[in-house]
Amino acid sequence: MHIVVCIKQVPDSAQIRVHPVTNTIMRQGVPTIVNPYDLFALEEALRIKDQYGGRVTVLTMGPPMAEAALRKAISYGADDAVLVTDRVFAGSDTLATSFALASAIKQINKDMPVDLVFTGKQTIDGDTAQVGPGVAKRLDMQLLTYVSKIRSLDIENKEIVVERRSEGGVQVLKTKIPSLITVLEGNNEMRFATMANMFRAARYPVKIWNKDAAGIEDITKTGLKGSPTVVSKVFAPTPRAVKAEIIQCESNEPKDLSVTLLTKMFTKFPKIEKEISKRAA
Amino acid sequence: MSEATETQKPAPTGKKKFELDERLKAYKGIWVFIEHERGVIHPVSLELLGEGRKLADMLGVELAGVVMGPPGDTTRSFCHEAFFHGANLCYLVEDALLTDYRNEPYTKGLTDLVNKYQPEILFLGATTLGRDLAGSVATTLKTGLTADCTELNVDLDARSLLASRPTFGGSLLCTIQTLNYRPQMATVRPRVMAMPERDASRNGRIIEDKLGMVESSIITKVLEFIPDEMQDKPQLPFADIIVSGGRGMKKPENFKLIWDLAAVLGAEVGATRPVVQAGWVELDRQVGQSGKTVRPKLYIAAGISGAIQHRVGMDASDVIIAINNDPNAPIFDFAHYGIVGNAMTILPALTEAFKTHLAMARKAG
Ligand SMILES: Cc1cc2nc3c(=O)[nH]c(=O)nc-3n(C[C@H](O)[C@H](O)[C@H](O)COP(=O)(O)OP(=O)(O)OC[C@H]3O[C@@H](n4cnc5c(N)ncnc54)[C@H](O)[C@@H]3O)c2cc1C
Ligand SMILES: Cc1cc2nc3c(=O)[nH]c(=O)nc-3n(C[C@H](O)[C@H](O)[C@H](O)COP(=O)(O)OP(=O)(O)OC[C@H]3O[C@@H](n4cnc5c(N)ncnc54)[C@H](O)[C@@H]3O)c2cc1C
């Protein structure tokens, strides 16, 4: 069983501060983390490895510093790590990202055939949930999104049964491997890194692939050139024509403020009063 | 933001007039994929028809629904539902293989239709089904897809879709365009757009097509479907009144004040992401970009700063009341009423005031 887990390095959103005047984010010094959703994918892969044996390869496309995310994954127990990094990838949207990742997976497959590809549900920065489906289509693999549980895996017959979250319920699907699974969050918990794996992570020679090593010849499919979407404008949301009416009254006591608020609101918006009075019955 | 701001330079606007490729000028019209499961249309598809109607009128083109499903009256009735909500025509693919949603046949069906009839814009709901399908179709067609848009518009000169969504981190939005590729694809989450009026006197044309697949060529099989038990799940998107709390509530115990007010108003309880992540309330109660989009008649926000990711999920509420001890909190920029003060003392007083009002209404009969 050979599982490739795609992980992305993202800024730690909990530590991001917004510039009070320009409204842009202050990136300097913001630590990076492994996209939290991807840890569920990695843990699921490690569990399959525990049960069936095999290898787990982690893969990321990103700047050289993304190597740190791969080392983290090795410390949790991944066997191999590949960083795909090249200036031609800069500015990739999801279509170009899926092309680069799929090309790299084809190269990985040459060393050891890939049975499953796992991704997270989505990232916390781009937040599109589009890369998983994209990679699956590029590799012509069966796509299973929002998987909450892997029910069974039959390696001999190359069959897998999963539970997939859909609107209003759970679909139980049976398909063939190789397939690509986007793993839903919250159904497992990342294990602790063992001391041995932490040492291994520190010394592990991450494979660093440029576009050639990743088997990419046609660079018009990568980076800005290979990205149909362009960001044409960044803007602040339009404030309401009038700001909130701040409720004030003589005493400014909570009780009086509340009564003043209701009186004002019910006068201006009679339908709210109606909606609330419905509940008297 | 990550890649987008650092390397994706804003496209030059205004200077040079954008010329669309000759080959792409053949792409005309706006399509909405009509999502349905177990015999009911997902409301997001109707909301998209409402928005699509406006854009189609601006571009002077037709609005079409795409209906795929098992043969029968139910599937056909979805075409009429699409007409009632603004579509001029529907593309209909009926096949028993389309009974349950599966990625492979739906991707093929929709991709084939696009290649044959060439729409310039294609919208899908940002649901589990819509995202699965949109990502697959966009990659197969090698075109651009903008996720989770909160505003849609068109640039009439370039005949280009302007799809806006919140950026990462900052309280900003970005507009994404797909210039030299067709169709321009976007997903929109449920409840972001307003539900259009249903007009049962409207009609339209149905264009039928074939799927051209056999079951033996489809690798993934559906073994069973386990429906959710609806009763126990919070139903925020369709609630008329919502009382939400944020990190300003300080402690999980204080959230009781939110529940108390909600109980008096028969309201649902909502929350911001930090509150959900801290485990004070369940995930289904998160309002915002990565939670639920709501449009109640009344939204009461206590101890919530009003970050863009929260705002896009509740901005369309009819009336917003904000309680915050910081007079400069961004939420006061878009709330209708504000009380500056400590939520822990304001909330109980507000609960009492509503109680008194209800008692009076009861007396008045
Ligand atoms: C604010 C913002 C908005 C954007 N909007 C759009 C948009 O609407 N359309 C668009 O096409 N692009 C958009 N982009 C660009 C997009 O974020 C990048 O293409 C990014 O490389 C991948 O998309 P994602 O972060 O949304 O990943 P998702 O599709 O959310 O990621 C899903 C999974 O794919 C895997 N994965 C994703 N990226 C990598 C990677 N680099 N290496 C390894 N595995 C990975 C992970 O397992 C992840 O959990 C946007 C970027 C930003 C910052
Ligand atoms: C990709 C992405 C997706 C996101 N998705 C969501 C989402 O879906 N939903 C969401 O909500 N957030 C989301 N966020 C997080 C969002 O950016 C904000 O961090 C979050 O909304 C802030 O929550 P808050 O208002 O509860 O907390 P804070 O921003 O910490 O605000 C707390 C407020 O309480 C006030 N306060 C403090 N004490 C009191 C008191 N005693 N009485 C009254 N007021 C008091 C403070 O003045 C402050 O304004 C997302 C972020 C990212 C990057």
Side-chain angles (χ1 to χ4, degrees):
Chain A
M1 196 46 30
H2 184 198
I3 307 175
V4 173
V5 184
C6 299
I7 64 173
K8 187 184 183 189
Q9 188 182 52
V10 296
D12 185 353
S13 68
Q15 309 217 22
I16 279 189
R17 281 172 314 133
V18 178
H19 192 283
V21 180
T22 60
N23 243 336
T24 51
I25 61 172
M26 305 197 281
R27 275 194 140 245
Q28 289 91 336
V30 176
T32 57
I33 51 171
V34 178
N35 176 39
Y37 291 107
D38 299 349
L39 295 178
F40 298 104
L42 179 57
E43 174 60 27
E44 205 56 40
L46 294 172
R47 288 185 183 188
I48 292 180
K49 184 186 131 181
D50 291 345
Q51 200 179 341
Y52 299 91
R55 286 187 89 72
V56 172
T57 302
V58 282
L59 166 66
T60 194
M61 177 193 87
M65 67 184 235
E67 194 183 321
L70 295 171
R71 273 191 209 286
K72 190 90 198 161
I74 297 272
S75 78
Y76 288 130
D79 299 288
D80 286 306
V82 178
L83 167 66
V84 184
T85 186
D86 200 307
R87 287 182 51 193
V88 300
F89 299 145
S92 293
D93 72 357
T94 56
L95 190 71
T97 300
S98 69
F99 173 73
L101 291 176
S103 303
I105 292 168
K106 283 181 195 160
Q107 293 302 109
I108 293 171
N109 186 64
K110 284 181 186 163
D111 288 341
M112 181 180 179
V114 174
D115 301 298
L116 289 168
V117 178
F118 283 6
T119 74
K121 181 182 78 172
Q122 64 196 58
T123 63
I124 60 163
D125 58 350
D127 190 31
T128 65
Q130 289 171 188
V131 170
V135 172
K137 290 295 140 180
R138 300 245 186 213
L139 294 172
D140 199 14
M141 276 187 184
Q142 291 300 304
L143 168 65
L144 304 165
T145 51
Y146 303 100
V147 169
S148 52
K149 187 175 175 186
I150 295 176
R151 273 201 184 175
S152 66
L153 184 58
D154 178 345
I155 297 182
E156 206 139 291
N157 295 309
K158 293 202 167 294
E159 259 173 20
I160 187 165
V161 177
V162 304
E163 294 183 5
R164 168 180 186 268
R165 174 117 289 277
S166 75
E167 303 295 307
V170 170
Q171 255 188 338
V172 183
L173 298 171
K174 181 169 97 175
T175 196
K176 289 275 177 198
I177 51 178
S179 52
L180 184 143
I181 294 178
T182 80
V183 178
L184 203 62
E185 75 277 13
N187 298 296
N188 63 34
E189 210 171 312
M190 179 46 83
R191 61 196 59 195
F192 289 107
T194 62
M195 206 49 108
N197 281 333
M198 272 155 54
F199 280 124
R200 182 162 179 270
R203 288 191 312 261
Y204 176 84
V206 169
K207 297 191 178 98
I208 297 181
W209 290 358
N210 64 8
K211 66 170 174 44
D212 300 320
I216 293 171
E217 283 160 19
D218 185 357
I219 61 161
T220 66
K221 290 184 180 159
T222 66
L224 275 180
K225 278 206 188 82
S227 296
T229 63
V230 282
V231 176
S232 60
K233 195 171 104 184
V234 176
F235 62 102
T238 31
R240 280 245 161 81
V242 274
K243 283 200 170 198
E245 176 179 351
I246 300 295
I247 303 296
Q248 276 164 328
C249 58
E250 227 162 278
S251 73
N252 270 343
E253 286 295 322
K255 177 168 177 276
D256 299 332
L257 286 170
S258 300
V259 173
T260 312
L261 167 68
L262 294 204
T263 312
K264 287 193 176 224
M265 178 169 68
F266 291 158
T267 312
K268 188 153 174 209
F269 300 99
K271 69 167 191 186
I272 300 287
E273 176 168 25
K274 255 188 79 209
E275 182 64 38
I276 288 175
S277 299
K278 268 202 303 206
R279 287 151 159 82
Chain B
M1 285 194 31
S2 65
E3 304 81 291
T5 38
E6 281 179 358
T7 45
Q8 278 182 253
K9 299 238 163 48
T13 40
K15 310 262 158 39
K16 235 180 358 195
K17 193 175 174 316
F18 174 78
E19 233 348 281
L20 190 62
D21 245 40
E22 229 21 74
R23 182 178 56 87
L24 298 179
K25 285 187 181 154
Y27 284 75
K28 278 267 148 57
I30 300 183
W31 286 14
V32 173
F33 176 79
I34 308 293
E35 172 175 341
H36 57 91
E37 266 182 309
R38 273 153 293 286
V40 268
I41 293 193
H42 198 296
V44 72
S45 305
L46 306 177
E47 293 157 12
L48 280 170
L49 285 170
E51 194 66 15
R53 182 70 263 162
K54 288 184 214 154
L55 302 181
D57 290 341
M58 287 168 74
L59 287 169
V61 295
E62 287 193 309
L63 175 69
V66 178
V67 177
M68 299 169 64
D73 289 345
T74 311
T75 303
R76 274 184 179 264
S77 74
F78 298 150
C79 295
H80 292 280
E81 236 11 85
F83 301 146
F84 300 161
H85 289 86
N88 302 102
L89 71 157
C90 273
Y91 295 93
L92 172 66
V93 182
E94 287 178 298
D95 196 308
L97 303 185
L98 299 169
T99 303
D100 289 300
Y101 174 75
R102 280 182 293 174
N103 179 269
E104 222 178 339
Y106 271 83
T107 301
K108 178 179 183 320
L110 185 53
T111 308
D112 286 352
L113 285 177
V114 167
N115 283 329
K116 187 163 169 188
Y117 298 103
Q118 307 194 321
E120 60 200 297
I121 293 173
L122 170 57
F123 294 134
L124 297 93
T127 57
T128 52
L129 189 163
R131 286 173 162 181
D132 183 283
L133 181 60
S136 301
V137 169
T139 310
T140 310
L141 294 167
K142 308 278 183 294
T143 191
L145 171 60
T146 306
D148 289 357
C149 305
T150 54
E151 287 176 42
L152 296 170
N153 209 333
V154 285
D155 170 351
L156 288 175
D157 287 334
R159 276 194 89 80
S160 163
L161 176 69
L162 303 170
S164 302
R165 60 182 308 228
T167 57
F168 177 66
S171 268
L172 296 170
L173 294 142
C174 63
T175 301
I176 296 179
Q177 283 178 272
T178 298
L179 289 172
N180 239 334
Y181 297 80
R182 291 292 181 272
Q184 308 161 82
M185 291 179 60
T187 61
V188 177
R189 303 203 352 195
R191 302 296 273 163
V192 169
M193 303 297 171
M195 177 64 78
E197 288 292 333
R198 182 177 188 271
D199 175 356
S201 70
R202 299 184 51 140
N203 212 336
R205 321 190 295 285
I206 296 182
I207 298 176
E208 295 188 44
D209 227 297
K210 294 256 167 324
L211 179 64
M213 276 184 122
V214 287
E215 181 60 48
S216 59
S217 70
I218 302 172
I219 297 170
T220 300
K221 311 289 177 196
V222 180
L223 299 186
E224 61 174 313
F225 181 82
I226 311 162
D228 290 334
E229 284 160 47
M230 280 317 235
Q231 309 83 286
D232 334 327
K233 282 211 153 203
Q235 295 298 326
L236 263 69
F238 294 93
D240 285 321
I241 304 180
I242 295 176
V243 186
S244 279
R247 191 147 52 181
M249 293 305 296
K250 303 278 199 267
K251 288 191 287 211
E253 302 85 76
N254 291 341
F255 234 73
K256 183 172 177 297
L257 302 175
I258 302 276
W259 287 99
D260 288 347
L261 177 53
V264 167
L265 294 178
E268 278 287 3
V269 167
T272 61
R273 186 164 85 165
V275 163
V276 167
Q277 283 178 339
W280 298 1
V281 295
E282 63 262 51
L283 183 62
D284 280 318
R285 300 199 180 275
Q286 182 179 321
V287 173
Q289 186 194 345
S290 46
K292 298 279 186 288
T293 303
V294 301
R295 15 174 85 236
K297 299 196 173 94
L298 178 62
Y299 190 91
I300 303 176
I304 293 177
S305 61
I308 187 78
Q309 288 86 2
H310 188 75
R311 177 175 173 178
V312 294
M314 45 69 83
D315 212 3
S317 309
D318 291 344
V319 176
I320 299 168
I321 299 175
I323 304 165
N324 198 304
N325 63 0
D326 173 6
N328 297 317
I331 190 140
F332 292 128
D333 292 345
F334 57 95
H336 298 83
Y337 294 103
I339 296 184
V340 178
N342 182 355
M344 270 44 88
T345 56
I346 305 284
L347 278 171
L350 196 56
T351 306
E352 276 314 308
F354 275 117
K355 248 192 211 163
T356 311
H357 181 82
L358 279 172
M360 271 158 40
R362 230 169 261 137
K363 259 200 212 127

